[in-house]
Amino acid sequence: MTDDIIEVDLDDPRFRIKPYQQMMASCTGALVTSIFVTPLDVVKIRLQAQQKAMLSNKCFLYCNGLMDHLCSCGNGRGPEWLRTNGKFNGTVDALVKIGKREGILSLWSGLSPTLVLAIPATIVYFVSYEQLRLFLKDNYNRRFVQDSLRKEQPFWIPVVAGGTARIGAATLVSPLELIRTKMQSQKLSYAEIRQALKTVIKYSGFSGLWMGLSSTLLRDVPFSAIYWFNYESLKKIFRNVQHTFTFNLIGGAVAGSIAAFCTIPFDVVKTHRQIEMGEKEIYSDKPGRTSSTFTIINRIYKQNGIRGLFTGLTPRLVKVAPACAIMIATFEHGKRFFQARNANEVLGLEPNVQILRYKYDNT
């Protein structure tokens, strides 16, 4: 005897997962993603930092998957890893040198403090996106769609929801990132961090707590808008195909790759600006503003040409594709898990009844 099956619309108001369920799904996604993609992000940032280190030996930017880390060199001779490994000649060369000379675990160094900030930021981002997307979709259908059984989602909804959610998440975590950077770089105790924050506010005002936010938004908001537009478009194009874990993996990888390629110059600018900001924060008692985006782009272009604006493109694509794939597939899988529970509760289904097919919408 075979189990009975039913078809469920993921956006059906009766079965929608609750915010706390979205939080659990996104938290799981962040943990799984960080473990898999951290080594690739380490390589990407080190290649970009290597370019900057040729010009400044004070500070370099280090990222291990989900968050950026500003590190001081201390002795003025450049980053320790650059002196140990020498110049990297590409993605594979960097992976081999780091693993061989620093130990394989160095590819996951700093993961714990990163997750402290990355998980809350990821939760805020994904929950905000889902809530805003559904809010805009419901309002649009109430006002412009006459057929109550037909649900539409215009292309602009994921663009607006994705960009807005990223602004909120980045703005929320920015002051916390500044505090963590100062504690790590200057080895401050929790008691001393209050004085450090007073110094920042004294010379830069309260807005100083969000130094570097503009460069983060310059990269992340377009990336988020492009990513969600492409991902939701793929779901709509293949709405008659079962949206399995594999489908979401492929969709996330494609959407993430396109967004990463379009925003790589902004990623390079963000790296350079954060390094410049870090040098001022770490080595000066009077932190100041960093160079403008146009100034940094002009400087990179003069020194390295157009190729300089695409530094780290290959490792960024190699990292972003699996990162987006794993994150969205895990998140969607979590959504389906809670969707099934909610449907079972609402419909009073027997244990042998399976929800086999998940529709995107009725368009």
Side-chain angles (χ1 to χ4, degrees):
M1 179 178 179
T2 59
D3 294 340
D4 296 328
I5 60 174
I6 64 171
E7 186 176 71
V8 169
D9 179 357
L10 283 172
D11 285 348
D12 191 322
R14 296 176 299 167
F15 314 132
R16 286 179 185 172
I17 67 174
K18 301 173 177 60
Y20 81 88
Q21 294 173 328
Q22 294 172 347
M23 292 173 63
M24 294 176 66
S26 58
C27 179
T28 302
L31 285 169
V32 175
T33 302
S34 63
I35 292 173
F36 277 93
V37 306
T38 290
L40 297 173
D41 209 26
V42 168
V43 170
K44 175 184 74 72
I45 294 297
R46 284 206 184 187
L47 287 173
Q48 291 180 351
Q50 175 176 270
Q51 180 187 81
K52 179 69 176 178
M54 303 303 175
L55 306 173
S56 171
N57 292 324
K58 293 180 179 180
C59 177
F60 69 97
L61 184 68
Y62 177 69
C63 184
N64 59 357
L66 296 176
M67 302 294 291
D68 298 329
H69 298 261
L70 282 164
C71 305
S72 59
C73 301
N75 53 20
R77 294 185 296 159
E80 179 65 30
W81 58 263
L82 186 57
R83 299 195 305 275
T84 300
N85 298 318
K87 184 179 179 180
F88 297 132
N89 297 314
T91 303
V92 176
D93 182 58
L95 281 170
V96 173
K97 285 182 176 178
I98 294 172
K100 182 178 179 180
R101 300 179 183 179
E102 299 180 38
I104 193 68
L105 292 181
S106 64
L107 292 172
W108 286 271
S109 61
L111 183 60
S112 297
T114 293
L115 293 177
V116 171
L117 290 181
I119 289 181
T122 302
I123 290 175
V124 170
Y125 174 52
F126 275 86
V127 173
S128 297
Y129 171 77
E130 279 292 300
Q131 293 296 315
L132 184 56
R133 180 183 69 83
L134 293 172
F135 173 80
L136 293 174
K137 181 178 179 179
D138 289 345
N139 276 273
Y140 176 85
N141 283 279
R142 277 198 300 267
R143 299 181 63 178
F144 301 107
V145 180
Q146 301 299 323
D147 186 355
S148 60
L149 298 178
R150 182 179 176 84
K151 303 297 181 181
E152 297 182 3
Q153 179 171 284
F155 75 92
W156 58 267
I157 287 182
V159 173
V160 173
T164 303
R166 177 56 66 189
I167 291 174
T171 303
L172 176 67
V173 80
S174 186
L176 300 177
E177 174 66 12
L178 176 63
I179 293 174
R180 183 186 59 78
T181 298
K182 282 190 168 293
M183 292 185 70
Q184 289 186 340
S185 61
Q186 299 178 358
K187 300 186 184 303
L188 302 178
S189 65
Y190 286 97
E192 295 170 322
I193 195 64
R194 181 179 179 182
Q195 184 58 44
L197 291 177
K198 284 184 177 180
T199 301
V200 173
I201 295 174
K202 177 181 178 180
Y203 291 103
S204 303
F206 280 99
S207 62
L209 296 176
W210 283 269
M211 283 190 295
L213 178 61
S214 60
S215 59
T216 298
L217 296 179
L218 182 65
R219 178 194 67 177
D220 290 356
V221 172
F223 179 94
S224 185
I226 295 170
Y227 170 78
W228 286 112
F229 167 76
N230 284 290
Y231 180 71
E232 297 288 356
S233 296
L234 287 172
K235 290 170 65 177
K236 180 176 290 188
I237 292 172
F238 296 99
R239 59 180 174 270
N240 293 323
V241 176
Q242 172 72 324
H243 294 170
T244 62
F245 189 86
T246 301
F247 175 88
N248 293 323
L249 275 175
I250 297 174
V254 171
S257 297
I258 295 173
F261 179 81
C262 293
T263 59
I264 182 63
F266 299 140
D267 185 55
V268 175
V269 170
K270 179 179 183 292
T271 299
H272 281 250
R273 177 174 281 180
Q274 282 194 282
I275 292 173
E276 183 178 330
M277 181 183 71
E279 291 174 355
K280 292 181 179 180
E281 291 177 1
I282 295 171
Y283 295 100
S284 174
D285 292 330
K286 300 179 180 181
R289 297 294 177 180
T290 59
S291 303
S292 66
T293 298
F294 177 78
T295 299
I296 295 176
I297 292 176
N298 189 50
R299 184 193 308 156
I300 295 173
Y301 180 76
K302 286 183 177 180
Q303 293 167 350
N304 302 284
I306 193 67
R307 292 182 61 182
L309 293 172
F310 287 84
T311 302
L313 175 59
T314 299
R316 176 165 165 79
L317 289 175
V318 172
K319 187 274 296 187
V320 167
C324 290
I326 295 170
M327 181 67 218
I328 195 64
T330 307
F331 179 64
E332 294 278 22
H333 185 74
K335 285 172 57 179
R336 286 195 294 268
F337 170 78
F338 288 113
Q339 194 92 28
R341 289 189 56 184
N342 295 344
N344 281 323
E345 292 178 0
V346 173
L347 301 177
L349 302 178
E350 296 297 328
N352 65 322
V353 178
Q354 299 179 2
I355 299 177
L356 179 65
R357 185 175 178 85
Y358 297 87
K359 298 188 297 181
Y360 172 57
D361 55 27
N362 294 323
T363 58

